[in-house]
Amino acid sequence: MKTINQITLVFLLFFLAACSGGGNKPKQAEIAASTELKSAPVAVNDESQKLLKYLEESGDYVNGRNFPSLIKASAVNAELDGKIKIIDLRSSDAFSKGHIKGAVNVEFSKIPDYFSNVIKPFEYDKIVMVCYAGQIASYATSLLRLMGYGNVYALRWGMSSWNKDFAADSWLKAVSDKYESKLELTENSRPALTDFPQLNSGKSTGEEIMTARFKSLFAAGYADAFVTADQVFEQPQNFYTVNFERKDKYDAGHIPGAVRYKTSGTLGIIPEMESIPTDKDVVVYCGTGHNSGFVTAYLRLFGYKAKTLMYGNNAFMHNKMLKDKALLSWLPFTEAEIDGFPYVKN
């Protein structure tokens, strides 16, 4: 009987060890991540709470299947004779040198007025925002979608995908492997949770706050919402860098100090957003700069000092993206992304 009890005890100890991980203990990073998720969220200030609630009641666009709202050049070209409106955000000089037939050139800061007083947005099946590389359009489209314009899309890759004449000074010029040797493999932890930025709009309802922030961000322009790879890699300590990618892509190499945030589990989720500091410039990056353009707009709507890394990973590890394209589903920009569609000049 004693022997049986001893065997039973050994078995129980083995079973408990197996259940707890035994020699296969979880990595410290996994423990830290688990601890972060269990951290109690900080109370959110009144205006941010109202804005969160309003956006949730409006359909929670950022966690829906249409986020981000991108469209390819081939799809736009196929619908040119339909009920489609193309808004070109580039400079008047760039527009006059070549644009999509039927497109209108609208200054970025005048977009709210254009949608409210110049056109009737919902008369169109699609409204396509167009820029040089697709990132300014992504930023604008995100704000317009959040405002309730559910038929707005950003042209993927911008005019660079329409014709090679536009890609020469944009995407084809921007791709680089300049910082490939400086990529970091270490997983970085998040800082302590803190309240959302104070919006101080002075408005009393979520809808009023949304409208005020929407107009304010367009009036401010987009220059401060973008940052280059050179700026980030030369002084990474000056930024809180958000890697908005899958974990396998993050693990394959990321910007020094970058912290990964889930693509479908960050925006609008209080504990996730509260881990993003409010007292530092926040750089958001992804593979192409399109997704990060949408994310940056959302964060700036809530007052974060967010910036999109121009051209995403393509700007600093293009060769690695090409090499690992099949393995990690990267989207490296190549001439294969360029169509040869005609354009008109003014």
Side-chain angles (χ1 to χ4, degrees), residues 12-259:
L12 285 172
L13 289 171
F14 175 81
F15 178 78
L16 289 170
C19 289
S20 63
N24 237 344
K25 292 183 178 178
K27 295 177 182 177
Q28 195 61 38
E30 293 172 345
I31 296 173
S34 176
T35 302
E36 287 173 351
L37 291 175
K38 292 178 182 177
S39 298
V42 176
V44 179
N45 65 76
D46 184 60
E47 284 199 15
S48 292
Q49 279 191 49
K50 289 177 179 177
L51 182 54
L52 278 170
K53 185 177 180 181
Y54 173 75
L55 291 173
E56 184 180 355
E57 291 174 346
S58 299
D60 193 16
Y61 165 63
V62 295
N63 292 307
R65 61 185 180 85
N66 292 318
F67 180 86
S69 303
L70 297 165
I71 189 169
K72 291 184 176 181
S74 56
V76 174
N77 185 64
E79 296 185 42
L80 283 182
D81 294 329
K83 296 175 68 175
I84 188 170
K85 187 75 174 178
I86 300 169
I87 300 176
D88 196 318
L89 298 171
R90 296 175 301 156
S91 69
S92 58
D93 184 52
F95 182 81
S96 65
K97 289 178 181 177
H99 57 267
I100 300 170
K101 183 180 179 180
V104 293
N105 190 206
V106 182
E107 191 177 319
F108 182 89
S109 63
K110 295 179 179 178
I111 288 295
D113 179 71
Y114 188 81
F115 270 68
S116 296
N117 302 314
V118 180
I119 62 171
K120 295 180 179 178
F122 296 108
E123 287 186 348
Y124 302 97
D125 292 334
K126 290 185 178 70
I127 298 176
V128 181
M129 311 302 289
V130 174
C131 66
Y132 306 91
Q135 294 157 301
I136 298 169
S138 294
Y139 179 71
T141 297
S142 184
L143 293 173
L144 288 162
R145 281 270 181 165
L146 290 166
M147 192 62 186
Y149 298 108
N151 57 343
V152 182
Y153 297 82
L155 179 63
R156 184 184 286 276
W157 311 115
M159 287 299 289
S160 292
S161 67
W162 194 261
N163 191 289
K164 191 174 180 179
D165 292 347
F166 305 108
D169 290 325
S170 183
W171 269 102
L172 291 178
K173 187 177 180 180
V175 295
S176 169
D177 61 349
K178 185 175 181 180
Y179 298 105
E180 211 164 274
S181 63
K182 293 190 176 181
L183 297 179
E184 181 183 65
L185 299 176
T186 306
E187 184 173 352
N188 297 298
S189 59
R190 302 179 184 185
L193 303 186
T194 186
D195 187 14
F196 283 40
Q198 295 287 337
L199 296 176
N200 298 318
S201 73
K203 305 300 180 181
S204 57
T205 70
E207 184 176 7
E208 290 172 337
I209 294 166
M210 174 66 213
T211 301
R213 293 296 300 156
F214 174 79
K215 291 180 177 179
S216 173
L217 288 172
F218 273 104
Y222 57 77
D224 192 50
F226 293 88
V227 66
T228 66
D230 285 339
Q231 290 173 294
V232 176
F233 274 91
E234 287 170 9
Q235 294 185 309
Q237 70 281 0
N238 289 350
F239 306 95
Y240 181 76
T241 304
V242 169
N243 175 280
F244 204 71
E245 282 285 10
R246 295 191 328 232
K247 190 175 188 303
D248 55 350
K249 291 184 176 183
Y250 175 81
D251 290 342
H254 49 266
I255 295 173
V259 180

